[in-house]
Amino acid sequence: MQKRTILIIEDNELNRDILDEILSADYNLLMAEDGKKGLELLRENVKKINVVLLDIMMPVMDGYQVLEEVNRDESLQHIPIIVTTGDEGHGVEEHCLKLHAADFIKKPYNPLIVRLRIENLIRMRYFAATLNDVEIDKQTGIYTHNAFMLYANEWINNHPDMNLTLAMTDVRGFKRLSNQFGDKAYEVLRREVATIRDNYPTDTIIGLYSHDQIIYLHPTATSSLDNEEKEEWYEKRFVELSQDLDVVIKAGICEGLDTSVPFSTHVQNVAVALYAVKNTYNRHVRFVGKELLDKIQRDALIEQLMEDALSKGQMQVYYQPKHDAKSEKLVGAEALLRWISPELGFVSPGEFIPVFEKNGFVSEADAFVWRETCKNQRRWIDRGLKVVPISVNASRQDFSRKDLRQVIAGPMKEYCIGNQLMHLEITESLFDNLSSEAFKLLQECRENNLMIELDDFGTGYSSLNSLSELPIDIVKFDMSFVRKLQDPRKYSVMKGCVEITKSLNLKSVAEGVEDAETRKVIADMGIDAIQGYYYSKPLPAAAFEEYLAQHQD
Ligand code: C2E
Ligand code: MG
Ligand code: MG
């Protein structure tokens, strides 16, 4: 191992010689015979000096003055100084400790003690430095997640009565920024931290939650604002911060932490608040409030109960008819999952599907809907009914299953259902980072006459480009389109889009049509099929079977 370096500042030549004798075999030594020269040597060699041995009584500049100078100079403060004391009298140690001396060695020197004191000090500093490496994130200069949790818990335990605020922030599109700009992207995070640090109380503890999500814990600023006004106040700050840094920064915030609740629960809560606001257009901040906590609890229950619910038959597939816009004949249906839970009551898919999508269970649910639908189609065919194609919703997670091909083909084969009797509904967001394998599978479906529908077209997640680029056969216009047709501009946009689908040889469906008037407007636009309460709400399988029987032509 490379020899470490000690700077000896000592005016007495004999003492210098003794130290040289004791230490030169193991260390590189630099010698100075007074404080002034010592300081000069220290500044010149600051990078390589590991320890300073400092005499107190010296001409020109004494040891106290050296300690004072070192304290004034930030670049020197990290170097530990051992003071060598003789019989200078009372109060020397106290004085030196106040000036941050690290340790003392008594003269006359005991060689073994001199070596051990120095060795121990170097070891301690080494461990502190390693600890620092583990605790501080290199890119941002703030605590790592574990260190943050440690210090935040410690802070709360030491200040149980303090009113504290916890916030978690996220930079939109950070992954893309770091892909594009590499380490430079972290400058955004560093500037965010610096700005927030300047604006919040000095004792803010700052750490990473994940690579671009940052957590802040600080005493709550006193204010006469009510919760809603405070949320607005924060909203403004985060709009300004986003503008300053030229990115969108969102935050989940909890004021007045209840210290009887584990701190990790508060961290989860602000993460959920952040997640909620991330998906809210035009808002930057969301407070953890009763409504959100209720939602967190309900989502947790949903997760707890979902597997049993599926296996015990609490989940059922409903079917919503789809009619031809011109002839008004029944031409298809959409399979929609329903959950009637003894514990939770009726749970809407708008509520449970996002939870399933987050925890991955959606791929089990979708496979169930697919299988049930194949089974029902077979039953209806066997009862002599002329069946129509049924569209089943698919989620992004389905496409990361290795066995997706089997999940699709298995039940079709088992129940002997032709490809033309099933459709897959997907949304455009599915195509973000879709693997080439999954893309190939979609194309394969189409080549084999299993049609692909693009769901939710017009909800803001879809673009016109996608119509010409994606492997799809049918475009489903979302009900948000249908709701706004009294507005002539919206009408023109939808009509234009319908014409584009036609020119691209795609079929079109309008969702959410509730009355005769809208039905007519939409049919006149040239849409191919219509789905909505005007014809029927989603029906349980048995009721849909009757519906099917009544619409055999
Ligand atoms: P979606 O796929 O866009 O389904 C259409 C939604 O519109 C259904 O809501 C349907 O009941 C509703 N709807 C149809 N016609 C009308 C109407 O005239 N007026 C109104 N107000 N609503 C109408 P639902 O069943 O609550 O499903 C909501 C969403 O949950 C679905 O939107 C779909 O994204 C998702 N979902 C439902 N079932 C499944 C499933 O099995 N798998 C997956 N992955 N997602 C599903
Ligand atoms: Mg759908
Ligand atoms: Mg839809």
Side-chain angles (χ1 to χ4, degrees):
M1 202 169 90
Q2 206 191 349
K3 273 190 183 176
R4 300 188 195 274
T5 302
I6 301 175
L7 168 62
I8 296 169
I9 310 177
E10 165 71 66
D11 63 327
N12 182 315
E13 196 180 347
L14 183 62
N15 280 337
R16 289 203 301 272
D17 288 347
I18 294 172
L19 287 172
D20 186 81
E21 187 106 327
I22 300 172
L23 298 169
S24 59
D26 299 317
Y27 297 94
N28 292 321
L29 301 179
L30 296 170
M31 300 279 187
E33 65 255 22
D34 65 56
K36 190 159 177 284
K37 286 197 185 120
L39 260 181
E40 279 166 15
L41 269 183
L42 184 59
R43 291 205 163 97
E44 278 164 29
N45 299 284
V46 64
K47 287 230 170 76
K48 62 175 189 208
I49 292 175
N50 300 95
V51 175
V52 177
L53 290 185
L54 176 67
D55 185 24
I56 283 296
M57 294 306 185
M58 287 181 298
V60 189
M61 183 190 261
D62 67 19
Y64 297 127
Q65 286 169 294
V66 173
L67 285 169
E68 279 161 13
E69 281 296 315
V70 167
N71 279 324
R72 268 193 282 276
D73 187 338
E74 236 176 75
S75 66
L76 306 178
Q77 282 166 6
H78 65 282
I79 301 177
I81 298 179
I82 300 179
V83 172
T84 54
T85 56
D87 47 6
E88 287 88 353
H90 227 56
V92 178
E93 294 199 353
E94 191 183 318
H95 192 173
C96 292
L97 282 173
K98 279 187 182 150
L99 292 170
H100 308 304
D103 203 356
F104 299 93
I105 298 180
K106 282 231 169 330
K107 294 179 212 171
Y109 297 121
N110 171 332
L112 186 61
I113 289 202
V114 171
R115 280 197 210 103
L116 286 175
R117 284 257 154 101
I118 291 174
E119 204 183 297
N120 284 350
L121 192 60
I122 290 176
R123 268 168 64 99
M124 224 160 70
R125 291 287 155 146
Y126 174 76
F127 285 133
T130 332
L131 196 63
N132 202 43
D133 273 358
V134 177
E135 288 193 334
I136 302 291
D137 172 66
K138 291 226 164 45
Q139 304 275 21
T140 51
I142 59 179
Y143 285 133
T144 56
H145 188 165
N146 286 344
F148 173 85
M149 293 303 280
L150 185 77
Y151 291 118
N153 270 309
E154 204 173 77
W155 171 265
I156 290 172
N157 289 339
N158 292 335
H159 305 82
D161 299 322
M162 191 175 271
N163 186 325
L164 293 169
T165 293
L166 183 70
M168 186 183 292
T169 63
D170 175 272
V171 174
R172 191 165 78 195
F174 185 80
K175 217 173 182 180
R176 200 167 18 84
L177 275 182
S178 71
N179 282 346
Q180 202 175 343
F181 299 110
D183 283 354
K184 266 196 188 151
Y186 286 90
E187 183 60 25
V188 170
L189 298 183
R190 289 191 287 270
R191 285 179 61 201
E192 176 198 317
V193 168
T195 313
I196 292 184
R197 197 174 253 151
D198 285 349
N199 286 310
Y200 285 98
T202 40
D203 29 18
T204 302
I205 303 176
I206 307 178
L208 276 183
Y209 182 66
S210 69
H211 68 291
D212 65 330
Q213 290 172 337
I214 297 178
I215 350 182
Y216 300 84
L217 176 72
H218 56 81
T220 305
T222 43
S223 139
S224 55
L225 303 178
D226 67 23
N227 249 10
E228 219 168 278
E229 291 167 332
K230 262 194 213 153
E231 204 168 331
E232 281 317 307
W233 182 88
Y234 274 108
E235 178 68 29
K236 264 201 194 131
R237 299 286 90 76
F238 276 93
V239 169
E240 283 165 12
L241 181 65
S242 299
Q243 281 165 353
D244 281 353
L245 302 188
D246 212 10
V247 285
V248 175
I249 299 182
K250 302 227 171 179
I253 297 176
C254 182
E255 283 207 334
L257 296 190
D258 175 354
T259 46
S260 66
V261 172
F263 181 63
S264 55
T265 307
H266 290 303
V267 173
Q268 278 169 22
N269 291 350
V270 288
V272 174
L274 176 62
Y275 185 82
V277 76
K278 264 170 84 171
N279 296 321
T280 315
Y281 178 69
N282 242 348
R283 289 289 301 176
H284 293 70
V285 168
R286 170 92 190 239
F287 265 34
V288 175
K290 180 167 182 331
E291 190 196 329
L292 192 75
L293 291 176
D294 287 349
K295 183 176 154 37
I296 293 172
Q297 248 178 14
R298 196 164 154 97
D299 285 0
L301 263 177
I302 288 179
E303 284 206 316
Q304 209 180 309
L305 299 170
M306 61 189 188
E307 280 176 64
D308 260 10
L310 190 64
S311 64
K312 291 188 177 151
Q314 291 167 22
M315 292 199 191
Q316 288 178 25
V317 188
Y318 278 40
Y319 296 94
Q320 187 177 33
K322 220 189 281 179
H323 287 258
D324 184 272
K326 278 202 194 83
S327 68
E328 299 208 49
K329 278 188 185 158
L330 179 69
V331 287
E334 177 174 9
L336 292 158
L337 195 54
R338 295 290 176 261
W339 179 6
I340 297 121
S341 155
E343 295 90 350
L344 300 170
F346 179 86
V347 197
S348 130
E351 188 179 4
F352 67 77
I353 293 287
V355 179
F356 290 6
E357 281 180 337
K358 240 192 290 172
N359 64 29
F361 190 64
V362 76
S363 64
E364 295 304 312
D366 286 348
F368 167 77
V369 175
W370 186 263
R371 168 169 281 280
E372 278 292 298
T373 301
C374 290
K375 195 159 107 190
N376 283 328
Q377 291 280 54
R378 170 52 41 206
R379 180 180 311 138
W380 299 327
I381 295 169
D382 288 348
R383 290 184 181 167
L385 293 167
K386 190 175 141 235
V387 290
V388 290
I390 297 187
S391 318
V392 174
N393 291 284
S395 288
R396 199 185 156 67
Q397 283 79 351
D398 302 343
F399 287 84
S400 31
R401 295 181 75 124
K402 294 252 175 324
D403 59 348
L404 182 60
R405 243 187 204 83
Q406 188 50 31
V407 170
I408 294 177
M412 296 182 81
K413 209 165 155 197
E414 187 180 337
Y415 295 107
C416 223
I417 299 300
N419 286 354
Q420 74 288 353
L421 286 184
M422 301 292 284
H423 292 184
L424 265 183
E425 274 190 27
I426 56 174
T427 54
E428 193 183 342
S429 60
L430 176 92
F431 292 96
D432 296 342
N433 298 319
L434 189 71
S435 68
S436 56
E437 220 167 295
F439 198 87
K440 228 171 76 194
L441 186 118
L442 282 173
Q443 277 172 323
E444 227 177 88
C445 286
R446 300 181 62 217
E447 282 157 19
N448 291 307
N449 295 323
L450 196 156
M451 291 204 202
I452 309 295
E453 304 192 22
L454 184 67
D455 203 358
D456 299 344
F457 183 74
T459 51
Y461 296 108
S462 40
S463 65
L464 283 178
N465 261 350
S466 61
L467 294 184
S468 62
E469 287 167 3
L470 301 181
I472 53 170
D473 305 280
I474 300 173
V475 181
K476 282 191 93 169
F477 286 81
D478 188 70
M479 57 183 113
S480 55
F481 252 130
V482 173
R483 294 279 171 277
K484 296 175 190 153
L485 293 177
Q486 313 83 306
D487 177 347
R489 288 159 58 117
K490 299 273 184 284
Y491 173 88
S492 303
V493 171
M494 181 160 173
K495 192 162 184 341
C497 288
V498 172
E499 270 154 27
I500 292 174
T501 57
K502 279 196 184 314
S503 68
L504 292 168
N505 274 335
L506 299 169
K507 295 268 177 238
S508 54
V509 182
E511 283 191 280
V513 175
E514 293 185 349
D515 53 74
E517 199 184 324
T518 314
R519 197 212 77 79
K520 179 160 186 332
V521 174
I522 283 185
D524 289 348
M525 260 183 200
I527 282 256
D528 296 300
I530 290 175
Q531 177 183 339
Y533 294 173
Y534 171 73
Y535 289 109
S536 170
K537 288 200 168 178
L539 301 168
F544 182 72
E545 184 179 331
E546 270 176 46
Y547 194 93
L548 198 58
Q550 286 158 14
H551 292 84
Q552 284 293 289
D553 247 307

